[in-house]
Amino acid sequence: MATVSSSSSELQSSSLTLLVLLPVIYISYHLIKRALTPTKKKTKKPTTHGLKSHPLLGHLPAFLKNRHRFLDWSTELIVGSPDHRMGFWIPGMRTGIVTGNPADVEHVLRANFANYPKGDRATAMLRDFLGAGLFNSDGEQWLWQRKNASREFSSRSLRSFVVDVVSDEVAGRLLPLLRSAADGYGHGHGRVVLDLQDVLERSAFDTICMVAFGHDPCCLCLADGGGDGGVCWADDSKSEFMRAFGEAQDLIIGRFLDPVEVSWKVKKWLNVGTERRLKKAIADVHAFAMDIVRARRQSASASASADQSQRDDVLSRFVASAEHSDETLRDIVLSFLIAGRETTSSALTWFFWLLSSSPPAVTARILAEVRGARASTGTRRGQPLGFDALRGMHYLHAALTESMRLYPPVPLDSQSCAEDDTLPDGTHVGKGWSVTYSAYAMGRIPAIWGDDCAEFRPERWLGDDGVFRPESPFRYTVFHAGPRMCLGKEMAYVQMKSVVACVLEEFVVDVRKEVAGGSGGVPEHVLSVTLRMKGGLPVQVRRREEC
């Protein structure tokens, strides 16, 4: 899979070249605009506590300087701001705010939802990849898809299908892989070092492809005999779709991070650099997806009495309605892949790292819940855990929720202001401004979570009776909030809890902290579509003694 680092270097090079020309461009632009535009009332601009604005350039120099660490930089400004928001403006290009204020989030995502669509800028950046799918549409088009998807996700049959797919992936692939790693693949090399992030991403991609497409890419299939003291995948050519999909995601996010918006448009027009690579990756993804869509449509036409197990995936459900074009089905399913490809794997990667740095009592409480579930269901170690058993694990639910509070899989989400508006505290938001809420920053604000907000403490989510207590989604925005609340929230927890419960009861996961730790012992992150760990998460696993 292509990494963000290569694309980032290309984007940074383009930005630096443009930076040399920006003073001339801006001076010319504003002189001409001033000469041609009638005098009018001065436009309001957002301000930020601690962020310097420059004549003609606005906040562009600060954006370019901190582009490589945008998440941490914006979080520092938001946490240090009295109103917990960061305003920015780049004349002629971008203006908006990034907020960690729960009142702002509720206003944008619920109270005045209609005034904050995805907007033309964001949908234009994603259109060549996601078309008009659920996560790249607004208005009636979005509402129609949302209603159809909501109906499907509320069905018991789809929930049962997801549980079965997750159970098969964990029991049939993930656990055997970890057993082989613990035994050194039979080559006498001792315990093998695995990149747990890569393993979890492969497993999640297998799972979401089965749920969305009914297609098994076999990304986590291990070759017989392993490798030379390491992992050897059965047929890595089968992972080509995962590689192309990941590269397209990484390059798309580069468009959003480039403060000089015209840069990606020029490169696309010239078909050079990252845009040339993106065009190829999107073509590969679309070709693969269309092949599956057409095959599924032909299969449905040929046999209306197909095996029910072949009709439970999301694609088959939409094909059955016979209302949609092949392109529409492709866009719908790709949106589900975006939602499920890296979200759970990102959450689990950071969870296992946090667990390695936590007191042993955290793991002990999780294992106690697993043993209780085994006793109540009569199942043995290594066997799947059902939906009801997983739902009853309140401490594990709290631990995963706490992990995502600190390391949300989707750390930022943006909307566009359709018409001039005012936030609850009176702050002006102009028409066309972007409004981004930062789940990452919100998890680090003492006013929301207390002075211990930087600590991983699952107990903050439990009542005196040990039962999980949810927080307002406008304070805990990991699954978004309001009408765009994540439809797959319950299924994501099923997948994560199944993986953690089955892995921890059989293995001790030792993180190679001398490799994984960044500055201060915290791994560096990569801001892609999700919050990934830079360089992966190197671990060794050893079998846990049965209690």
Side-chain angles (χ1 to χ4, degrees):
M1 187 191 307
T3 63
V4 177
S5 58
S6 60
S7 58
S8 294
S9 61
E10 293 180 42
L11 287 166
Q12 188 173 17
S13 176
S14 300
S15 298
L16 290 174
T17 301
L18 288 168
L19 180 60
V20 176
L21 300 175
L22 274 172
V24 176
I25 294 172
Y26 272 135
I27 291 171
S28 302
Y29 169 79
H30 285 289
L31 287 175
I32 293 172
K33 184 177 180 181
R34 182 175 298 177
L36 298 177
T37 304
T39 303
K40 60 181 181 178
K41 184 179 179 180
K42 186 177 181 181
T43 303
K44 293 183 179 179
K45 299 181 181 70
T47 58
T48 295
H49 180 76
L51 183 61
K52 182 179 180 181
S53 177
H54 298 265
L56 297 179
L57 297 177
H59 296 123
L60 179 61
F63 263 75
L64 290 174
K65 179 181 179 181
N66 294 283
R67 184 178 175 279
H68 66 289
R69 57 181 298 270
F70 178 81
L71 196 56
D72 288 324
W73 172 59
S74 59
T75 296
E76 290 164 7
L77 291 171
I78 290 169
V79 172
S81 168
D83 51 14
H84 299 311
R85 74 173 69 94
M86 161 195 172
F88 64 89
W89 68 283
I90 302 174
M93 295 186 184
R94 298 185 186 180
T95 302
I97 64 172
V98 184
T99 185
N101 189 318
D104 294 350
V105 175
E106 184 169 7
H107 178 81
V108 170
L109 298 188
R110 185 189 64 80
N112 202 12
F113 172 77
N115 195 46
Y116 291 92
K118 286 292 182 182
D120 293 339
R121 174 180 165 270
T123 55
M125 287 188 179
L126 292 169
R127 188 170 295 119
D128 46 1
F129 183 32
L130 296 181
L134 181 62
F135 298 105
N136 198 42
S137 57
D138 285 316
E140 291 299 319
Q141 189 175 51
W142 168 79
L143 186 60
W144 170 83
Q145 291 190 61
R146 175 77 183 193
K147 286 181 178 178
N148 279 272
S150 181
R151 182 173 62 249
E152 297 298 348
F153 269 79
S154 63
S155 67
R156 290 186 178 182
S157 59
L158 181 59
R159 186 181 73 182
S160 178
F161 179 65
V162 170
V163 171
D164 290 343
V165 168
V166 170
S167 297
D168 289 346
E169 180 74 12
V170 171
R173 290 182 182 163
L174 180 59
L175 293 180
L177 167 65
L178 297 180
R179 290 169 191 146
S180 295
D183 297 338
Y185 295 113
H187 291 290
H189 293 286
R191 289 189 293 141
V192 173
V193 176
L194 291 173
D195 177 359
L196 189 58
Q197 179 171 252
D198 180 50
V199 169
L200 293 169
E201 286 178 355
R202 287 171 174 272
S203 179
F205 197 72
D206 282 350
T207 300
I208 193 59
C209 281
M210 283 295 295
V211 171
F213 276 140
H215 169 78
D216 183 3
C218 300
C219 293
L220 198 65
C221 295
L222 190 66
D224 293 337
D228 186 17
V231 177
C232 182
W233 305 113
D235 184 358
D236 218 27
S237 65
K238 292 183 178 181
S239 303
E240 183 62 22
F241 179 51
M242 183 180 78
R243 184 208 61 77
F245 197 87
E247 182 172 27
Q249 282 190 176
D250 293 341
L251 294 173
I252 281 285
I253 203 67
R255 291 177 172 179
F256 286 89
L257 293 177
D258 197 331
V260 185
E261 186 172 331
V262 72
S263 174
W264 73 266
K265 294 180 179 180
V266 171
K267 286 188 288 184
K268 182 180 179 181
W269 180 63
L270 295 174
N271 194 29
V272 297
T274 53
E275 288 296 318
R276 182 184 181 90
R277 290 169 51 204
L278 177 59
K279 182 179 180 180
K280 173 64 166 62
I282 289 175
D284 291 343
V285 169
H286 283 187
F288 185 90
M290 286 298 285
D291 285 346
I292 293 178
V293 167
R294 289 165 180 159
R296 188 60 48 79
R297 194 184 290 281
Q298 292 173 0
S299 175
S301 300
S303 177
S305 60
D307 184 353
Q308 180 64 36
S309 65
Q310 300 301 312
R311 298 202 304 267
D312 277 337
D313 60 89
V314 172
L315 175 59
S316 294
R317 289 165 179 270
F318 278 95
V319 165
S321 69
E323 298 177 10
H324 320 296
S325 68
D326 289 351
E327 289 74 16
T328 299
L329 290 173
R330 179 201 66 195
D331 294 346
I332 290 172
V333 174
L334 287 179
S335 289
F336 282 106
L337 291 188
I338 280 281
R341 174 185 175 255
E342 286 183 359
T343 48
T344 55
S345 59
S346 170
L348 287 170
T349 299
W350 289 101
F351 173 81
F352 278 109
W353 175 76
L354 280 169
L355 197 65
S356 71
S357 305
S358 300
V362 177
T363 300
R365 288 193 64 173
I366 294 172
L367 290 173
E369 278 195 333
V370 176
R371 287 194 294 271
R374 291 297 187 196
S376 64
T377 59
T379 56
R380 299 188 305 276
R381 176 189 284 191
Q383 292 181 325
L385 286 161
F387 178 81
D388 291 335
L390 293 169
R391 187 171 55 179
M393 297 182 183
H394 291 274
Y395 187 81
L396 177 53
H397 197 100
L400 286 164
T401 303
E402 175 73 346
S403 175
M404 289 186 287
R405 180 184 68 83
L406 291 168
Y407 296 99
V410 182
L412 299 167
D413 193 69
S414 294
Q415 318 296 131
S416 178
C417 182
E419 299 293 341
D420 284 358
D421 193 23
T422 303
L423 295 176
D425 67 354
T427 298
H428 172 76
V429 181
K431 178 180 179 178
W433 291 14
S434 68
V435 179
T436 300
Y437 59 94
S438 174
Y440 184 85
M442 294 179 79
R444 288 158 172 76
I445 296 177
I448 299 177
W449 300 105
D451 292 336
D452 64 348
C453 62
E455 298 178 19
F456 174 66
R457 194 169 65 83
E459 290 75 15
R460 77 173 76 241
W461 294 92
L462 300 173
D464 293 337
D465 56 358
V467 174
F468 179 82
R469 297 182 304 177
E471 258 290 356
S472 163
F474 305 110
R475 290 161 54 92
Y476 183 77
T477 59
V478 170
F479 293 95
H480 309 303
R484 286 188 182 266
M485 174 73 81
C486 177
L487 291 171
K489 176 181 178 180
E490 183 178 59
M491 296 182 186
Y493 272 112
V494 166
Q495 183 178 355
M496 292 187 293
K497 291 166 85 170
S498 182
V499 168
V500 173
C502 291
V503 169
L504 287 187
E505 73 171 339
E506 191 167 342
F507 303 100
V508 176
V509 180
D510 296 320
V511 174
R512 293 284 299 273
K513 295 184 180 178
E514 72 277 9
V515 180
S519 58
V522 178
E524 293 184 58
H525 61 252
V526 176
L527 182 58
S528 179
V529 173
T530 57
L531 191 67
R532 302 179 69 247
M533 197 174 286
K534 186 176 181 179
L537 180 63
V539 304
Q540 290 179 305
V541 294
R542 50 193 167 93
R543 294 179 183 268
R544 187 184 300 277
E545 295 182 5
E546 292 199 42
C547 299

